[in-house]
């Protein structure tokens, strides 16, 4: 499929409300698959999900022709066998990978976070591949590395379905420098954990354009020690929706929240919890790390399970005033 055809499909999805209804669904059974991201392979029309290191791999992946109903097939090889030279060679800690296709280079670009070789913090790196299933070849230098602020994690690409511009959002991991408490940052006053938005050249998906913009930061009263796992979409009515998680991933309070804006740079208005203890959690424990398909409608996320954190899929719609509703 050419990217122009993909854009047509994305635009159609982005500009029309969903009509299908289904409650959150299981995907890979009892398999640890945290921080999932989802993208469409334009060559095969298969949907791919990517996940944090686990099961003996730096980057995990699975694919399905139908993301909600499945079945999902687990990819048995490591998509990123050799991370960037800046990553700790003894402890890679590859977290939250996300992949996008770029027509100009006819290649796939992966954004990931890894543990620095000379620091206790993570930074965001980039790797590229000819095929969506890799193997991916990592760039030598990190993409975003605010080491003095705690580093950076949880990168997520955003392709605008209207003008084709491309951005990467990520979390500044200030909680890694916190005073203590849950996730190391629950004790007051705590460190900021802002979400940053960086425009990237839409031809290569690698070259930053201009300076980043901070679009949201934690509110200790609402979010506890941190916000993280940002994922950005533009919906059928032009609203920008920023999904993110709050509280600490290993506590029952961990949840999925969202904020909306009329412009990609914000300001973003908090809309509250989408899934968690204070709303309909469908029985999930600690749901988080949510990622939507471009344009919205399908959301993958993880929740605690016997194996660790398993991946699930939900459908949602966005009303004209920007309210996101999970469908059941």
């Amino acid at each position: 499929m050419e990217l122009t055809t993909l854009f047509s499909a994305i635009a159609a999805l982005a500009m029309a409300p969903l009509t299908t209804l289904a409650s959150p669904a299981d995907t890979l059974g009892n398999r640890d698959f945290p921080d999932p991201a989802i993208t469409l392979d334009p060559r095969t029309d298969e949907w791919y999900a990517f996940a944090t290191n686990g099961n003996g791999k730096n980057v995990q992946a699975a694919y399905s022709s139908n993301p909600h109903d499945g079945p999902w097939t687990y990819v048995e090889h490591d998509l990123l066998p050799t991370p960037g030279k800046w990553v700790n060679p003894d402890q890679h800690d590859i977290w939250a990978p996300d992949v996008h296709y770029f027509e100009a280079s006819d290649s796939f670009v992966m954004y990931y976070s890894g543990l620095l070789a000379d620091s206790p913090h993570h930074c965001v790196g980039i790797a590229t591949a000819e095929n969506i299933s890799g193997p991916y070849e990592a760039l030598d230098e990190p993409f975003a590395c605010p080491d003095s602020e705690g580093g950076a994690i949880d990168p997520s690409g955003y392709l605008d379905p209207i003008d084709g511009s491309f951005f990467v959002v990520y979390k500044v991991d200030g909680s890694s420098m916190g005073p203590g408490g849950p996730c190391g940052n629950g004790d007051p006053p705590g460190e900021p954990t802002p979400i940053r938005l960086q425009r990237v050249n839409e031809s290569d998906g690698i070259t930053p354009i201009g300076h980043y913009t901070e679009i949201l930061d934690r509110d200790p009263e609402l979010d506890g020690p941190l916000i993280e796992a940002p994922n950005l979409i533009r919906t059928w009515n032009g609203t920008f929706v920023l999904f993110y998680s709050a509280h600490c991933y290993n506590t029952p309070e961990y949840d999925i929240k969202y904020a909306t804006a009329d412009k990609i740079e914000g300001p973003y208005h908090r809309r509250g919890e989408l899934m968690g203890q204070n709303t309909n959690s469908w029985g999930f424990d600690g749901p988080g790390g949510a990622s939507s398909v471009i344009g919205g409608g399908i959301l993958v996320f993880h929740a605690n399970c016997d194996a660790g954190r398993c991946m699930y899929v939900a459908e949602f719609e966005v009303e004209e005033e920007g309210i996101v509703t999970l469908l059941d």
Side-chain angles (χ1 to χ4, degrees), residues 146 149 168-170 172 194-198 212-215:
E149 301 173 80
V168 174
V169 290
Y170 59 90
V172 176
I195 303 301
R196 287 180 177 168
L197 173 77
Q198 174 67 61
Y212 63 78
T213 301
E214 292 192 353
I215 57 176

Side-chain angles (χ1 to χ4, degrees), residues 241-299:
V241 178
L242 176 70
F243 296 103
Y244 62 98
S245 287
H247 303 286
C248 188
Y249 78 97
N250 59 8
T251 66
E253 291 80 20
Y254 200 57
D255 59 7
I256 300 168
K257 295 182 176 180
Y258 72 103
T260 60
D262 295 328
K263 298 179 180 179
I264 192 168
E265 297 87 359
Y268 282 81
H269 304 285
R270 295 171 181 271
R271 295 290 192 169
E273 187 179 84
L274 181 65
M275 182 184 292
Q277 283 190 330
N278 298 318
T279 55
N280 189 350
S281 64
W282 280 275
F284 292 117
D285 177 27
S291 176
S292 172
V293 302
I294 295 175
I298 296 287
L299 194 73

Side-chain angles (χ1 to χ4, degrees), residues 128-144:
T128 62
E130 294 181 358
N131 299 298
I132 195 168
S133 58
Y136 284 79
E137 182 176 348
L139 275 62
D140 289 343
E141 300 296 328
F143 169 77

Side-chain angles (χ1 to χ4, degrees), residues 103-191:
E103 183 181 29
S105 59
D106 191 28
S107 64
F108 295 86
V109 176
M110 174 187 290
Y111 308 94
Y112 67 96
S113 53
L115 181 65
L116 287 167
D118 55 359
S119 168
H121 304 139
H122 282 67
C123 282
V124 171
I126 290 178
T128 62
E130 294 181 358
N131 299 298
I132 195 168
S133 58
Y136 284 79
E137 182 176 348
L139 275 62
D140 289 343
E141 300 296 328
F143 169 77
C145 196
D147 189 27
S148 64
E149 301 173 80
I153 63 172
D154 297 347
S156 178
Y158 166 75
L159 175 66
D160 192 276
I162 306 302
D163 62 17
S165 58
F166 195 84
F167 295 79
V168 174
V169 290
Y170 59 90
K171 170 203 175 185
V172 176
D173 198 19
S175 48
S176 67
M177 300 176 64
C183 275
N185 203 41
D187 294 345
E191 296 292 329

Side-chain angles (χ1 to χ4, degrees), residues 4-85:
T4 51
T5 305
L6 177 62
F7 263 133
S8 298
I10 291 170
L13 177 61
M15 293 301 173
L18 281 184
T19 57
T20 57
L21 300 175
S23 58
D26 188 11
T27 57
L28 294 166
N30 188 35
R31 184 187 293 272
D32 187 39
F33 202 83
D35 308 311
I38 186 169
T39 193
L40 179 68
D41 181 359
R43 298 172 180 168
T44 65
D45 284 344
E46 296 276 4
W47 292 93
Y48 274 75
F50 307 89
T52 283
N53 65 285
N55 298 298
K57 303 173 183 63
N58 286 323
V59 171
Q60 303 185 81
Y63 62 90
S64 175
S65 59
N66 185 327
H68 189 275
D69 296 330
W72 283 86
T73 300
Y74 185 73
V75 176
E76 295 295 342
H77 64 268
D78 189 346
L79 273 67
L80 186 66
T82 305
K85 294 179 180 179

